[in-house]
Amino acid sequence: MKRKQNIRWNTMKILVIGFLSVIFFGAVLLWLPICNEKPISFLDALFTSTSSVCVTGLVTIVPKYQFTMAGKIILLILIQVGGLGVIACITAFFMLLKRRITVKERIVIQEAYNMESLGGLVGMIRRILIGTVVVEGIGAAFYAIQFVPDYGLGKGIWYGIFHSISAFCNAGIDILGDDSLAGYVTNPLINITTMILIILGGIGFTVWYDVVDNGKKIYRKEIPKEWWFTRLRLHSKIAIVTTVILLIAGTFLNFILEYHNPATIGHLNTGQKLMASAFQAVTTRTAGFSTFQQSGMHEETSFLNIILMFIGGSPGGTAGGIKTTTFALLFLAFHTMLRGGHDIECFRRKVDKENFHVAFVTIMLALGVYITGTTIIAVIEPDTISFQRIMYETASAMATVGLSQDLTTHLRVGSKIVLMILMYIGRVGPMTIALLFAGKVNLQEKMRTLPTEKIMIG
């Protein structure tokens, strides 16, 4: 038990220190003259590196005009490393060197991906890497269909590769200019390709693993086609169903709230409005691309998108936020209490109570970080900047989304530092940071029992 907790402690340290090291090293590289078309401050280089590694997408410069080809390649590598995660990248490096993965390293992988057993962990990492390359390659090919006619063969292929990786990793950083994908708001190919890549990256690699395994069983006729969903693990079911519900609800609400707004989708026809609304619902899952100006939204729509950003994507993938499963678990707990039940149930399974405790703590930590960051920036910035815009910016940073209401470049140095901290915490996870600072668990304290007493609630 003690050995397992020490390994868990070491895993957290690897994640925390690993991401910090990659961010700093990336900042140094992006700061070099060879990477820049014009001089860049180290703060801007550090901010860009943090945003890339934390797959957020907030930028204080315009990557298309700021970085040379060398700088853009480094930017892309940082996005890919940040999307896959430090543990997966280290494992991939060992595999390329044909170095044997030790039992201790396998346990670290198990803890990082919250797997139940040590069996097949390296194989899972291999499948994740192969799946990532295949999906990003297909995405790049679809992008190239549009980008090659627009920008020429070489640049079109390069743009396809860059934006496919950025979309799949839920980074939302582009090299098209300063309007993201606004120029393609009516283009079905770019919209659908981007949405599919964002969803596949944000649904979580463990869900991939589960769905593919079930697909193989159906192909081999080991199970009937009707069982494709019922045989999935509970985690996969909750992640998929919650994602679908949030995407449908987000699309519908964005469509209704912004229907007549000329600053966003009001000038489009009905079909285009629906597509733009769907894109907005998908991109708030922590992607950061946008097809219309975020600052033009009504305040009620901005608040809706803050909630969607705060929830984010699913665990074990490239997305941020508190995660779909955390949100679903709290909703299930709420439903259980309303009907007078004791156990949290879903799809004829009882959810472990420890999962609920972790979900509750995760939300409280995330709220605490979000409120603190928002308050600090509100104090630093002048009163001329609306509090709602600051709330949107901090939610985007903490949930590693990258959407901005044209505020990032106008913030003061202190505010940019706060945003970097929020992006970092959002990528590593509030729970990981909290446990690291809290220290190792005292087993005697954990095992002790105290008298129970009820208090008044409500």
Side-chain angles (χ1 to χ4, degrees), residues 205-219:
F205 296 122
T206 51
V207 177
W208 277 33
Y209 196 74
D210 197 15
V211 170
V212 169
D213 277 352
N214 254 26
K216 286 182 177 179
K217 289 177 183 177
I218 292 171
Y219 179 75

Side-chain angles (χ1 to χ4, degrees), residues 131-179:
T132 297
V133 172
V134 170
V135 172
E136 290 176 347
I138 294 172
F142 276 103
Y143 274 132
I145 294 172
Q146 182 64 51
F147 289 152
V148 167
D150 289 350
Y151 302 102
L153 182 62
K155 187 177 282 188
I157 293 173
W158 162 238
Y159 277 15
I161 293 170
F162 188 100
H163 294 95
S164 179
I165 293 174
S166 184
F168 178 78
C169 291
N170 281 210
I173 296 176
D174 69 272
I175 50 174
L176 297 173
D178 51 7
D179 293 324

Side-chain angles (χ1 to χ4, degrees), residues 21-33 35-36 42 45-46 49 74 78:
S21 302
V22 175
I23 287 169
F24 183 76
F25 183 65
V28 172
L29 292 177
L30 291 177
W31 191 41
L32 297 175
C35 293
N36 293 276
F42 185 73
L46 181 62
S49 179
I74 290 171
L78 292 175

Side-chain angles (χ1 to χ4, degrees), residues 76-115:
L76 189 61
I77 293 171
L78 292 175
I79 291 170
Q80 187 71 86
V81 171
L84 288 173
V86 174
I87 301 294
C89 290
I90 292 173
T91 306
F93 181 69
F94 287 161
M95 289 166 62
L96 285 173
L97 294 178
K98 295 184 178 180
R99 178 185 176 282
R100 183 175 176 275
I101 310 297
T102 65
V103 174
K104 186 176 179 180
E105 289 162 349
R106 288 171 190 266
I107 296 174
V108 170
I109 297 170
Q110 180 192 12
E111 288 295 329
Y113 286 92
N114 196 28
M115 300 300 289

Side-chain angles (χ1 to χ4, degrees), residues 267-294:
H267 61 287
L268 305 174
N269 64 42
T270 303
Q272 293 168 347
K273 286 177 182 178
L274 191 61
M275 184 168 65
S277 299
F279 191 95
Q280 183 68 16
V282 172
T283 198
T284 50
R285 312 311 309 290
T286 78
F289 287 116
S290 62
T291 54
F292 59 75
Q293 193 175 19
Q294 300 296 296

